[in-house]
Amino acid sequence: DAKTTQPPSMDCAEGRAANLPCNHSTISGNEYVYWYRQIHSQGPQYIIHGLKNNETNEMASLIITEDRKSSTLILPHATLRDTAVYYCIVRSETSGSRLTFGEGTQLTVNP
Amino acid sequence: GAVVSQHPSRVICKSGTSVKIECRSLDFQATTMFWYRQFPKKSLMLMATSNEGSKATYEQGVEKDKFLINHASLTLSTLTVTSAHPEDSSFYICSARAWGQGSDEQYFGPGTRLTVT
């Protein structure tokens, strides 16, 4: 699976949009981009995933560049409860659902 | 979304003893479950892939005789840390694969905090 690069930490004001970037320049054509988050001392929580089109659900939006080498997770109105480590993961259909976690981005939402 | 539980949520044991951690998929059947380990301020590290009715597949560097995995049913996988030592103290997280009807997702349990004294 392709390696991903994320900034180690970011800050965001409560109520503002949080934009979390992820680079995956070696992504292959059959690899999906997944986002999970982990609140302190809890298991990871699925957020969203996509292949090449932008995706939106009740939690977030995922914007994938046309060349698919990077993506951005957008939390439109961040709350204090969104403070967590956010993981961007690239996963292929042939990986048997394996997820390889990188270091992620620690997002801190400030009041 | 699908629910995965783990039991116990935290356990303290003495060095040399064995500890069993259970992972259950509550509202779906999981032919595949995964076990991860996470040290403080570190990311999750995949330890092994557990397939129902067959032997687990361990990642490189993970001792299969120390971390025994049993996946006897479609809703239960267990991880037994044998002869635990303080360096085994960690946060153990399981996940269960739910796939079919066009989706293939992985749902995580809440984790088990193991402290070996």
Side-chain angles (χ1 to χ4, degrees):
Chain A
D1 292 336
K3 180 180 170 61
T4 62
T5 304
Q6 299 176 252
S9 64
M10 292 183 65
D11 283 90
C12 175
E14 188 178 19
R16 306 297 292 270
N19 298 290
L20 293 92
C22 179
N23 285 322
H24 31 78
S25 58
T26 59
I27 193 170
S28 300
N30 67 343
E31 290 180 317
Y32 289 75
V33 180
Y34 277 75
W35 283 83
Y36 284 80
R37 73 179 183 185
Q38 185 180 26
I39 295 171
H40 184 62
S41 293
Q42 297 183 24
Q45 176 190 23
Y46 166 81
I47 302 173
I48 199 168
H49 77 280
L51 183 62
K52 52 184 177 182
N53 296 322
N54 297 337
E55 303 288 343
T56 295
N57 62 21
E58 63 278 5
M59 290 183 68
S61 294
L62 173 60
I63 309 298
I64 302 174
T65 59
E66 193 168 342
D67 62 8
R68 304 210 320 123
K69 293 183 184 299
S70 66
S71 60
T72 301
L73 178 74
I74 301 173
L75 307 179
H77 306 288
T79 71
L80 298 180
R81 287 183 291 184
D82 291 323
T83 293
V85 178
Y86 287 76
Y87 296 100
C88 168
I89 301 169
V90 172
R91 195 195 101 185
S92 72
E93 293 178 310
T94 58
S95 68
S97 191
R98 287 184 55 173
L99 296 172
T100 302
F101 285 81
E103 298 304 314
T105 296
Q106 170 66 59
L107 174 68
T108 302
V109 181
N110 301 304
Chain B
V3 179
V4 176
S5 70
Q6 281 184 242
H7 177 79
S9 59
R10 58 177 61 235
V11 57
I12 301 173
C13 72
K14 292 187 176 182
S15 186
T17 62
S18 295
V19 174
K20 179 185 285 187
I21 303 170
E22 293 185 348
C23 176
R24 294 181 186 273
S25 55
L26 298 184
D27 50 1
F28 66 100
Q29 293 184 330
T31 55
T32 303
M33 292 184 173
F34 301 88
W35 286 96
Y36 297 82
R37 179 169 53 182
Q38 186 176 32
F39 292 108
K41 299 189 184 299
K42 296 293 185 182
S43 187
L44 284 77
M45 185 189 78
L46 179 65
M47 298 175 66
T49 302
S50 168
N51 295 300
E52 187 266 338
S54 64
K55 291 184 179 180
T57 302
Y58 290 82
E59 295 299 302
Q60 191 173 10
V62 178
E63 299 175 57
K64 63 180 181 180
D65 295 329
K66 180 169 183 60
F67 299 99
L68 302 180
I69 292 173
N70 184 283
H71 193 158
S73 78
L74 289 171
T75 60
L76 173 65
S77 176
T78 61
L79 168 69
T80 301
V81 183
T82 62
S83 186
H85 291 284
E87 58 264 32
D88 298 323
S89 297
S90 188
F91 192 49
Y92 291 87
I93 306 169
C94 74
S95 69
R97 182 184 184 190
W99 64 291
Q101 298 182 334
S103 71
D104 183 357
E105 304 303 339
Q106 200 174 132
Y107 298 93
F108 287 83
T112 296
R113 177 80 56 194
L114 170 64
T115 303
V116 185
T117 60

